[in-house]
Amino acid sequence: MQETEKIWMNGELVDWADARVHVGTHGLHYGTGVFEGIRCYDTDRGPAVFRLIDHLQRLETSAKLLYMQLPYSVEELRGACFDVIGACGLSDLYIRPIAFYGYGELGVHTGDNPVDVVVMCFPWGAYLGEEGQREGITAMVSSWRRVGPNTIPHAAKATGVYLNSMLATHEARRAGYDEAILLTEDGYIADGPGETIFMVKNGTLFTPDLSSSILPGITRDSIIQIAQDLGHTVVEKPLIRTDLYTADEVFMTGTATEVAPLRSIDEHEIGVGPVTLALQQAYADTVRGRSEHWSQWLDLAASRAGA
C-alpha cells in the first residue's frame, strides 16, 4: 500500500501514521464493521469519483443491517471523501470508507461502544494485474461456499463477511490460480471473493441474480446498464458451473477489479472475447469521463469546490 498524506478519521484529517485505534476495538475482535471500495479517476475535468453517492448509500444500508447508526450523513461522508482526496493531492485513487464499532465493552454485544468512521485513499492499480486485464485471468471453483443469506446478510458489505472471501482467495492462489469462484450451498454460481461474475453465450449476457447470496454490486449494476445501452440482452438467473465452462466469454467486475476477462476456469479454456473487451473499453470510457451518456455517474471534485 502506497501511503498518502492524510486520513479522515472521525471528522478530522490526521497524518497517515497517526490514524490509530485501540487493540480492544470491537470491530477488530468480531468483524463488526462495514466498508466501501470507491475509485476516483483523473478526467479532463479534474478528479472524479465514480458513483460516490451510490457507494455511500450502500455503506449506510450495510450499517443498518448491523444495527449500526452512522454518526455522519451521506452528504457529510461525501465531503469527507473529497477532503481526503484534496489532502492527498492525487487524481487516480482508491477510496476506502470504513465504519466500525470502537473501543468500549468487549462482549459480543456492541453495547454503547462508539462507531468510528474513517476514510482513507491511496493509489491502487488493476486489482488482478494489468496483464490480467489484457490477457485474462485464471480461476478455480473454490471448495469454500459463499455465506448463505440467513447466516450473514449478504446485502451488507461487512468486514466480517470477507473472512469467507479471504479463505477462497488463499485456496486459489495456493493452487496456482489468479482468483476463486464461490458457489452457493445449493451449488449455484455466486461470485468471486470481491467481484461479480458475468458470462456471454450467443451474444446474451447472463449473471447470477441477487438471491444467490451476492452483494448488490455497483459495478455490476453499471455493467448491466452499459451492456443494455450497447444493445445486449442481460439475463439475471441462477447459473451452474458448467454454464461457465461452456460459455463463449466470462468476465468479473468490481470497483477494484473493474472489468477482468476470465481466460480459463478449472483448466477449461475460454479465452478473451469481443463482448468482454467492448464492455471493458466502454466502462473505462465511462469512469474517465469520455462518455457523456453516463456522465451523471461522475462526482467531480471541482463541483464540490464551487459549492
Side-chain angles (χ1 to χ4, degrees):
M1 185 186 301
Q2 182 179 329
E3 297 182 4
T4 52
E5 288 293 322
K6 298 288 185 179
I7 290 175
W8 188 93
M9 193 168 189
N10 293 325
E12 298 180 354
L13 287 171
V14 301
D15 290 341
W16 180 283
D18 293 333
R20 302 169 182 168
V21 297
H22 195 278
V23 295
T25 292
H26 196 278
L28 177 62
H29 290 257
Y30 301 116
T32 49
V34 295
F35 71 98
E36 280 295 319
I38 309 170
R39 280 196 184 269
C40 177
Y41 293 92
D42 188 17
T43 75
D44 289 342
R45 292 183 291 169
V49 185
F50 187 63
R51 298 192 67 170
L52 177 57
I53 294 297
D54 293 318
H55 278 285
L56 295 176
Q57 287 175 338
R58 187 173 67 178
L59 181 75
E60 188 175 60
T61 299
S62 297
K64 289 177 181 177
L65 290 170
L66 268 63
Y67 308 104
M68 177 188 291
Q69 180 65 50
L70 294 179
Y72 301 96
S73 68
V74 165
E75 188 57 36
E76 287 171 326
L77 291 172
R78 175 178 177 264
C81 289
F82 281 117
D83 285 346
V84 77
I85 290 169
C88 289
L90 299 171
S91 297
D92 264 345
L93 292 162
Y94 181 84
I95 307 165
R96 170 57 57 86
I98 183 169
F100 51 91
Y101 284 105
Y103 176 74
E105 298 296 327
L106 203 52
V108 173
H109 193 279
T110 56
D112 294 325
N113 290 25
V115 174
D116 291 323
V117 183
V118 177
V119 182
M120 59 190 301
C121 66
F122 52 92
W124 198 2
Y127 176 67
L128 294 171
E130 297 293 342
E131 183 179 348
Q133 296 287 91
R134 295 190 306 271
E135 308 297 332
I137 63 168
T138 62
M140 65 169 282
V141 174
S142 177
S143 66
W144 296 101
R145 294 291 181 261
R146 176 52 83 200
V147 173
N150 290 317
T151 303
I152 298 176
H154 67 268
K157 194 172 177 68
T159 58
V161 175
Y162 279 75
L163 175 59
N164 190 204
S165 296
M166 182 276 285
L167 290 168
T169 300
H170 273 256
E171 180 184 46
R173 298 287 174 86
R174 288 198 307 271
Y177 295 89
D178 297 315
E179 192 56 295
I181 296 170
L182 292 98
L183 305 181
T184 67
E185 198 58 46
D186 293 331
Y188 292 101
I189 300 297
D191 53 11
E195 310 93 354
T196 51
I197 297 177
F198 288 82
M199 56 167 273
V200 183
K201 188 72 173 180
N202 298 325
T204 298
L205 274 69
F206 298 88
T207 190
D209 57 46
L210 293 178
S211 67
S212 58
S213 295
I214 64 173
L215 182 75
I218 290 170
T219 310
R220 174 185 183 273
D221 177 68
S222 303
I223 289 297
I224 288 173
Q225 293 190 58
I226 291 171
Q228 291 171 336
D229 190 50
L230 293 176
H232 296 288
T233 298
V234 182
V235 179
E236 300 177 61
K237 58 169 285 186
L239 300 172
I240 58 176
R241 63 200 297 174
T242 52
D243 290 330
L244 300 185
Y245 297 160
T246 59
D248 299 326
E249 304 175 37
V250 182
F251 60 92
M252 285 180 160
T253 67
T255 296
T257 303
E258 298 176 310
V259 179
L262 271 67
R263 72 171 189 270
S264 73
I265 301 171
D266 290 340
E267 309 302 328
H268 292 272
E269 292 297 325
I270 299 168
V272 179
V275 176
T276 301
L277 293 177
L279 286 169
Q280 188 182 64
Q281 185 60 56
Y283 182 77
D285 289 342
T286 298
V287 299
R288 295 196 175 276
R290 298 190 292 261
S291 172
E292 287 299 320
H293 189 70
W294 299 108
S295 60
Q296 73 274 15
W297 281 344
L298 293 176
D299 202 335
L300 294 164
S303 67
R304 180 173 187 269

